[in-house]
Amino acid sequence: MLTGYRESEKTMTQTIDRTAGARLAAICHNRIEEEIIRAYVRLVCTLDQPNGLRTQIVARFGTLEIRMTEALLGEVPPQAPRFRIEIYSHESDAVLDSGDYFEFDEDELRAAVDLVVSAQVMQFHLH
């Protein structure tokens, strides 16, 4: 009888841990999504640069910096994405990963969030 109780308790604890983990992941995704949207809005207030690009920092994770860059209209062909999010490493002075986006619709925003989450995972594995 006691063994069954312990197994039941263990299963319940695992379920609670998974639920808490899923909630934490959702909070993390929501926070990152908000930061991407804020960077997108800040780009509007950023002065045009001579190179035709505007850049804002989305987030920093240790030595990694997440940057959003907008290519101004007229600087890229109409069929090309205007926005890029990069994972930049200050340690290696290189872009580790990036994604290109047209307008951050629901699917693109989700992909951008996944890219930023991957930076968090990279930082965890780097240190």
Side-chain angles (χ1 to χ4, degrees):
M1 283 277 208
L2 195 53
T3 303
Y5 174 77
R6 286 187 182 146
E7 287 301 316
S8 168
E9 184 178 294
K10 181 179 174 185
T11 302
M12 189 168 70
T13 301
Q14 289 171 342
T15 301
I16 290 169
D17 287 346
R18 275 192 297 255
T19 303
R23 255 186 273 155
L24 184 60
I27 290 168
C28 179
H29 275 75
N30 289 342
R31 193 189 110 254
I32 290 169
E33 184 175 300
E34 289 172 4
E35 291 303 321
I36 290 170
I37 292 168
R38 283 186 184 111
Y40 181 79
V41 170
R42 283 192 313 267
L43 282 174
V44 174
C45 301
T46 303
L47 295 175
D48 294 352
Q49 300 299 309
N51 64 359
L53 302 174
R54 295 190 283 200
T55 302
Q56 284 292 317
I57 304 303
V58 175
R60 288 187 176 95
F61 307 115
T63 61
L64 300 181
E65 186 173 83
I66 314 307
R67 301 173 176 170
M68 178 186 292
T69 301
E70 176 187 17
L72 303 176
L73 287 175
E75 298 296 325
V76 294
Q79 68 276 15
R82 288 184 45 213
F83 299 95
R84 169 171 280 200
I85 293 183
E86 297 178 331
I87 301 171
Y88 177 80
S89 169
H90 285 282
E91 192 172 328
S92 64
D93 194 26
V95 173
L96 304 179
D97 200 359
S98 66
D100 295 319
Y101 308 94
F102 286 94
E103 58 187 26
F104 292 105
D105 61 15
E106 190 174 321
D107 291 336
E108 287 187 344
L109 186 55
R110 188 177 313 116
V113 169
D114 290 343
L115 179 67
V116 176
V117 168
S118 76
Q120 287 180 308
V121 172
M122 269 189 233
Q123 181 60 31
F124 178 76
H125 291 294
L126 289 174
H127 295 292

